[in-house]
Amino acid sequence: MNKPTLTKTSQERVPLNDYFMDIIRIVAKRSTCLRRPTGAVLVRDKIIISTGYNGAPRGLRHCTEIGCLRQKKGIPSGKYHELCRGAHAEINAIVQASLNGTSTEGSTLYCTSFPCAYCMKALINAKVRKIIYIENYPDELSHELCKESGIRTIQWTPGKHTKRSA
């Protein structure tokens, strides 16, 4: 049996930001949230240290099984985060790093949505230094906390925030 031959040149190599942004979209496919599937990846020194997606805590029933409490109550996006069975992707990424004994200090969070205020407070305490996200999230407090903390943020646009990897 012949082994496949890889013929890519370094100029065809996927830029790191594109690579991590592609990965968060795959991670988000594990989400069990019916309203806003999200994915997150924590990266330090160009290495993924943790991933997370939104869903119910371990061992509990997911919204895909019992329905969405927020939908049933008509709760708008960005309001009353505590009225949800799911833990957010960003929190789950921090928890996974912790469970594996990995520090998040100085890391970059790649995520599908700008973090909510609850997640932002955890990211500040976890000493995340930069957040690169795809879409904004309607949470003014989160943006205020982020700005005050000094965490750098970039709303990612394909091709605009990419560098070729060597």
Side-chain angles (χ1 to χ4, degrees), residues 46-84:
K46 301 179 185 179
I47 296 169
I48 295 171
I49 60 172
S50 184
T51 66
Y53 51 87
N54 54 341
R58 288 174 196 247
L60 301 185
R61 293 177 298 160
H62 291 278
C63 296
T64 52
E65 300 169 60
I66 63 171
C68 176
L69 176 65
R70 295 177 63 80
Q71 280 180 338
K72 289 175 186 174
K73 294 187 177 269
I75 299 169
S77 184
K79 304 287 183 194
Y80 310 110
H81 300 104
E82 69 278 6
L83 297 177
C84 178

Short mmCIF file of all heavy atoms in Angstrom, two decimals, residues 46-84:
data_model
loop_
_atom_site.label_atom_id
_atom_site.label_comp_id
_atom_site.label_asym_id
_atom_site.label_seq_id
_atom_site.Cartn_x
_atom_site.Cartn_y
_atom_site.Cartn_z
N LYS A 46 1.74 29.23 20.77
CA LYS A 46 1.30 28.57 19.54
C LYS A 46 0.85 27.13 19.75
O LYS A 46 0.72 26.36 18.81
CB LYS A 46 2.41 28.60 18.47
CG LYS A 46 2.86 29.99 18.09
CD LYS A 46 3.97 29.93 17.07
CE LYS A 46 4.50 31.31 16.78
NZ LYS A 46 5.60 31.26 15.81
N ILE A 47 0.58 26.76 21.01
CA ILE A 47 0.15 25.40 21.34
C ILE A 47 -1.22 25.45 22.01
O ILE A 47 -1.44 26.25 22.94
CB ILE A 47 1.16 24.71 22.27
CG1 ILE A 47 2.51 24.56 21.56
CG2 ILE A 47 0.66 23.36 22.74
CD1 ILE A 47 3.64 24.15 22.47
N ILE A 48 -2.15 24.61 21.58
CA ILE A 48 -3.47 24.53 22.21
C ILE A 48 -3.30 23.90 23.60
O ILE A 48 -2.77 22.80 23.72
CB ILE A 48 -4.44 23.69 21.37
CG1 ILE A 48 -4.71 24.39 20.04
CG2 ILE A 48 -5.75 23.44 22.13
CD1 ILE A 48 -5.47 23.55 19.05
N ILE A 49 -3.74 24.64 24.62
CA ILE A 49 -3.65 24.09 25.98
C ILE A 49 -5.00 23.59 26.47
O ILE A 49 -5.06 22.82 27.43
CB ILE A 49 -3.05 25.11 26.97
CG1 ILE A 49 -3.88 26.39 27.06
CG2 ILE A 49 -1.60 25.42 26.60
CD1 ILE A 49 -3.44 27.34 28.17
N SER A 50 -6.09 24.01 25.82
CA SER A 50 -7.41 23.58 26.25
C SER A 50 -8.46 23.97 25.23
O SER A 50 -8.28 24.93 24.50
CB SER A 50 -7.74 24.22 27.60
OG SER A 50 -8.96 23.76 28.10
N THR A 51 -9.56 23.21 25.22
CA THR A 51 -10.71 23.56 24.38
C THR A 51 -11.97 23.53 25.24
O THR A 51 -11.99 22.92 26.32
CB THR A 51 -10.89 22.56 23.21
OG1 THR A 51 -11.23 21.29 23.74
CG2 THR A 51 -9.66 22.47 22.35
N GLY A 52 -13.01 24.18 24.78
CA GLY A 52 -14.29 24.14 25.49
C GLY A 52 -15.43 24.47 24.55
O GLY A 52 -15.25 25.18 23.56
N TYR A 53 -16.57 23.92 24.86
CA TYR A 53 -17.80 24.24 24.12
C TYR A 53 -18.91 24.35 25.15
O TYR A 53 -18.77 23.90 26.28
CB TYR A 53 -18.13 23.19 23.05
CG TYR A 53 -18.13 21.77 23.55
CD1 TYR A 53 -19.27 21.21 24.11
CD2 TYR A 53 -16.99 20.99 23.48
CE1 TYR A 53 -19.29 19.90 24.57
CE2 TYR A 53 -16.99 19.68 23.93
CZ TYR A 53 -18.14 19.15 24.48
OH TYR A 53 -18.14 17.87 24.94
N ASN A 54 -20.01 24.98 24.77
CA ASN A 54 -21.08 25.18 25.75
C ASN A 54 -22.00 23.97 25.83
O ASN A 54 -22.31 23.34 24.83
CB ASN A 54 -21.85 26.48 25.52
CG ASN A 54 -22.40 26.64 24.12
OD1 ASN A 54 -21.97 25.99 23.18
ND2 ASN A 54 -23.35 27.53 23.97
N GLY A 55 -22.40 23.67 27.06
CA GLY A 55 -23.27 22.54 27.32
C GLY A 55 -23.43 22.34 28.82
O GLY A 55 -22.75 22.98 29.62
N ALA A 56 -24.34 21.47 29.19
CA ALA A 56 -24.62 21.19 30.60
C ALA A 56 -23.38 20.61 31.29
O ALA A 56 -22.54 19.98 30.65
CB ALA A 56 -25.79 20.22 30.72
N PRO A 57 -23.26 20.82 32.60
CA PRO A 57 -22.15 20.23 33.35
C PRO A 57 -22.13 18.71 33.21
O PRO A 57 -23.17 18.08 32.96
CB PRO A 57 -22.44 20.64 34.80
CG PRO A 57 -23.26 21.88 34.68
CD PRO A 57 -24.11 21.67 33.45
N ARG A 58 -20.97 18.14 33.40
CA ARG A 58 -20.77 16.69 33.27
C ARG A 58 -21.83 15.91 34.03
O ARG A 58 -22.13 16.21 35.19
CB ARG A 58 -19.41 16.28 33.82
CG ARG A 58 -18.28 16.70 32.99
CD ARG A 58 -16.97 16.36 33.72
NE ARG A 58 -15.91 17.10 33.09
CZ ARG A 58 -14.93 16.53 32.40
NH1 ARG A 58 -14.86 15.23 32.30
NH2 ARG A 58 -14.01 17.27 31.84
N GLY A 59 -22.37 14.90 33.37
CA GLY A 59 -23.33 14.01 34.01
C GLY A 59 -24.76 14.52 34.07
O GLY A 59 -25.66 13.79 34.47
N LEU A 60 -24.98 15.78 33.68
CA LEU A 60 -26.34 16.33 33.69
C LEU A 60 -26.94 16.28 32.29
O LEU A 60 -26.22 16.23 31.30
CB LEU A 60 -26.33 17.78 34.20
CG LEU A 60 -25.78 18.00 35.61
CD1 LEU A 60 -25.94 19.46 36.01
CD2 LEU A 60 -26.45 17.09 36.62
N ARG A 61 -28.26 16.30 32.22
CA ARG A 61 -28.94 16.25 30.93
C ARG A 61 -28.72 17.56 30.17
O ARG A 61 -28.73 18.64 30.75
CB ARG A 61 -30.42 15.98 31.13
CG ARG A 61 -30.69 14.58 31.69
CD ARG A 61 -32.14 14.33 31.95
NE ARG A 61 -32.58 15.30 32.96
CZ ARG A 61 -33.84 15.64 33.17
NH1 ARG A 61 -34.80 15.10 32.46
NH2 ARG A 61 -34.16 16.51 34.10
N HIS A 62 -28.54 17.41 28.87
CA HIS A 62 -28.30 18.56 28.01
C HIS A 62 -29.60 19.12 27.46
O HIS A 62 -30.62 18.44 27.41
CB HIS A 62 -27.39 18.14 26.84
CG HIS A 62 -26.00 17.82 27.27
ND1 HIS A 62 -25.05 18.77 27.48
CD2 HIS A 62 -25.40 16.62 27.54
CE1 HIS A 62 -23.92 18.20 27.85
NE2 HIS A 62 -24.11 16.89 27.91
N CYS A 63 -29.53 20.35 26.99
CA CYS A 63 -30.69 21.01 26.38
C CYS A 63 -31.19 20.24 25.16
O CYS A 63 -32.38 20.28 24.85
CB CYS A 63 -30.36 22.45 26.02
SG CYS A 63 -29.97 23.46 27.47
N THR A 64 -30.29 19.56 24.47
CA THR A 64 -30.70 18.75 23.32
C THR A 64 -31.62 17.61 23.75
O THR A 64 -32.37 17.09 22.94
CB THR A 64 -29.46 18.17 22.60
OG1 THR A 64 -28.63 17.52 23.55
CG2 THR A 64 -28.67 19.25 21.88
N GLU A 65 -31.57 17.25 25.04
CA GLU A 65 -32.42 16.18 25.57
C GLU A 65 -33.71 16.71 26.20
O GLU A 65 -34.75 16.08 26.08
CB GLU A 65 -31.66 15.39 26.64
CG GLU A 65 -30.39 14.73 26.16
CD GLU A 65 -29.57 14.20 27.32
OE1 GLU A 65 -30.10 13.35 28.07
OE2 GLU A 65 -28.43 14.65 27.48
N ILE A 66 -33.62 17.85 26.89
CA ILE A 66 -34.78 18.32 27.67
C ILE A 66 -35.31 19.68 27.25
O ILE A 66 -36.26 20.19 27.82
CB ILE A 66 -34.47 18.34 29.18
CG1 ILE A 66 -33.33 19.31 29.50
CG2 ILE A 66 -34.15 16.95 29.68
CD1 ILE A 66 -33.13 19.53 30.98
N GLY A 67 -34.70 20.29 26.25
CA GLY A 67 -35.15 21.59 25.80
C GLY A 67 -34.38 22.73 26.46
O GLY A 67 -33.67 22.54 27.44
N CYS A 68 -34.55 23.90 25.91
CA CYS A 68 -33.84 25.10 26.36
C CYS A 68 -34.70 25.91 27.33
O CYS A 68 -35.77 26.40 26.95
CB CYS A 68 -33.46 25.95 25.15
SG CYS A 68 -32.67 27.52 25.58
N LEU A 69 -34.23 26.04 28.54
CA LEU A 69 -34.92 26.84 29.57
C LEU A 69 -35.07 28.29 29.11
O LEU A 69 -36.12 28.90 29.30
CB LEU A 69 -34.13 26.76 30.88
CG LEU A 69 -34.63 27.60 32.05
CD1 LEU A 69 -36.00 27.10 32.50
CD2 LEU A 69 -33.64 27.53 33.20
N ARG A 70 -34.05 28.83 28.48
CA ARG A 70 -34.08 30.23 28.03
C ARG A 70 -35.13 30.44 26.95
O ARG A 70 -35.84 31.44 26.95
CB ARG A 70 -32.69 30.67 27.57
CG ARG A 70 -31.67 30.66 28.70
CD ARG A 70 -30.28 31.01 28.24
NE ARG A 70 -30.18 32.36 27.71
CZ ARG A 70 -30.08 33.46 28.45
NH1 ARG A 70 -30.06 33.39 29.76
NH2 ARG A 70 -29.99 34.65 27.88
N GLN A 71 -35.24 29.49 26.03
CA GLN A 71 -36.27 29.60 25.00
C GLN A 71 -37.66 29.51 25.60
O GLN A 71 -38.55 30.27 25.25
CB GLN A 71 -36.09 28.50 23.94
CG GLN A 71 -35.02 28.80 22.93
CD GLN A 71 -34.87 27.69 21.90
OE1 GLN A 71 -35.25 26.55 22.14
NE2 GLN A 71 -34.29 28.01 20.76
N LYS A 72 -37.82 28.56 26.52
CA LYS A 72 -39.13 28.37 27.15
C LYS A 72 -39.59 29.61 27.89
O LYS A 72 -40.78 29.93 27.92
CB LYS A 72 -39.07 27.18 28.13
CG LYS A 72 -38.96 25.84 27.45
CD LYS A 72 -38.79 24.73 28.48
CE LYS A 72 -38.53 23.39 27.81
NZ LYS A 72 -38.22 22.33 28.77
N LYS A 73 -38.65 30.34 28.50
CA LYS A 73 -38.99 31.54 29.28
C LYS A 73 -38.90 32.83 28.46
O LYS A 73 -39.17 33.90 28.98
CB LYS A 73 -38.09 31.64 30.51
CG LYS A 73 -38.32 30.52 31.51
CD LYS A 73 -37.54 30.77 32.78
CE LYS A 73 -37.82 29.71 33.81
NZ LYS A 73 -38.92 30.04 34.69
N GLY A 74 -38.49 32.73 27.19
CA GLY A 74 -38.40 33.91 26.33
C GLY A 74 -37.31 34.88 26.76
O GLY A 74 -37.46 36.09 26.59
N ILE A 75 -36.21 34.38 27.27
CA ILE A 75 -35.12 35.23 27.75
C ILE A 75 -34.26 35.67 26.56
O ILE A 75 -33.78 34.84 25.80
CB ILE A 75 -34.27 34.49 28.79
CG1 ILE A 75 -35.13 34.11 29.99
CG2 ILE A 75 -33.07 35.33 29.22
CD1 ILE A 75 -34.48 33.14 30.95
N PRO A 76 -34.06 36.99 26.41
CA PRO A 76 -33.26 37.47 25.27
C PRO A 76 -31.76 37.18 25.45
O PRO A 76 -31.28 37.04 26.57
CB PRO A 76 -33.52 38.98 25.27
CG PRO A 76 -33.92 39.32 26.66
CD PRO A 76 -34.59 38.08 27.22
N SER A 77 -31.08 37.09 24.34
CA SER A 77 -29.63 36.88 24.34
C SER A 77 -28.95 38.01 25.09
O SER A 77 -29.34 39.17 24.98
CB SER A 77 -29.12 36.82 22.89
OG SER A 77 -27.76 36.52 22.87
N GLY A 78 -27.94 37.66 25.88
CA GLY A 78 -27.18 38.67 26.62
C GLY A 78 -27.78 39.06 27.96
O GLY A 78 -27.24 39.91 28.66
N LYS A 79 -28.88 38.45 28.37
CA LYS A 79 -29.55 38.78 29.63
C LYS A 79 -29.70 37.53 30.49
O LYS A 79 -29.91 36.43 29.98
CB LYS A 79 -30.95 39.36 29.37
CG LYS A 79 -30.97 40.57 28.47
CD LYS A 79 -30.43 41.78 29.19
CE LYS A 79 -30.53 43.00 28.27
NZ LYS A 79 -29.77 44.11 28.75
N TYR A 80 -29.62 37.70 31.79
CA TYR A 80 -29.89 36.63 32.77
C TYR A 80 -29.15 35.33 32.45
O TYR A 80 -29.75 34.27 32.34
CB TYR A 80 -31.40 36.38 32.90
CG TYR A 80 -32.19 37.62 33.13
CD1 TYR A 80 -33.04 38.13 32.15
CD2 TYR A 80 -32.09 38.31 34.34
CE1 TYR A 80 -33.76 39.29 32.35
CE2 TYR A 80 -32.81 39.48 34.55
CZ TYR A 80 -33.64 39.97 33.55
OH TYR A 80 -34.35 41.11 33.76
N HIS A 81 -27.84 35.44 32.34
CA HIS A 81 -27.01 34.27 32.01
C HIS A 81 -27.18 33.12 32.99
O HIS A 81 -26.99 31.96 32.63
CB HIS A 81 -25.52 34.67 31.96
CG HIS A 81 -25.22 35.71 30.96
ND1 HIS A 81 -24.99 37.02 31.30
CD2 HIS A 81 -25.14 35.64 29.61
CE1 HIS A 81 -24.76 37.71 30.21
NE2 HIS A 81 -24.84 36.90 29.18
N GLU A 82 -27.52 33.45 34.22
CA GLU A 82 -27.66 32.41 35.25
C GLU A 82 -28.85 31.49 35.00
O GLU A 82 -28.93 30.40 35.55
CB GLU A 82 -27.76 33.03 36.65
CG GLU A 82 -29.03 33.81 36.93
CD GLU A 82 -29.06 35.25 36.40
OE1 GLU A 82 -28.12 35.66 35.70
OE2 GLU A 82 -30.04 35.95 36.70
N LEU A 83 -29.78 31.90 34.14
CA LEU A 83 -30.94 31.07 33.82
C LEU A 83 -30.65 30.21 32.59
O LEU A 83 -31.24 30.38 31.52
CB LEU A 83 -32.18 31.95 33.60
CG LEU A 83 -32.63 32.75 34.83
CD1 LEU A 83 -33.82 33.62 34.48
CD2 LEU A 83 -32.96 31.83 35.98
N CYS A 84 -29.70 29.31 32.77
CA CYS A 84 -29.29 28.43 31.68
C CYS A 84 -28.64 27.19 32.30
O CYS A 84 -27.87 27.31 33.25
CB CYS A 84 -28.27 29.16 30.79
SG CYS A 84 -27.65 28.15 29.43
#
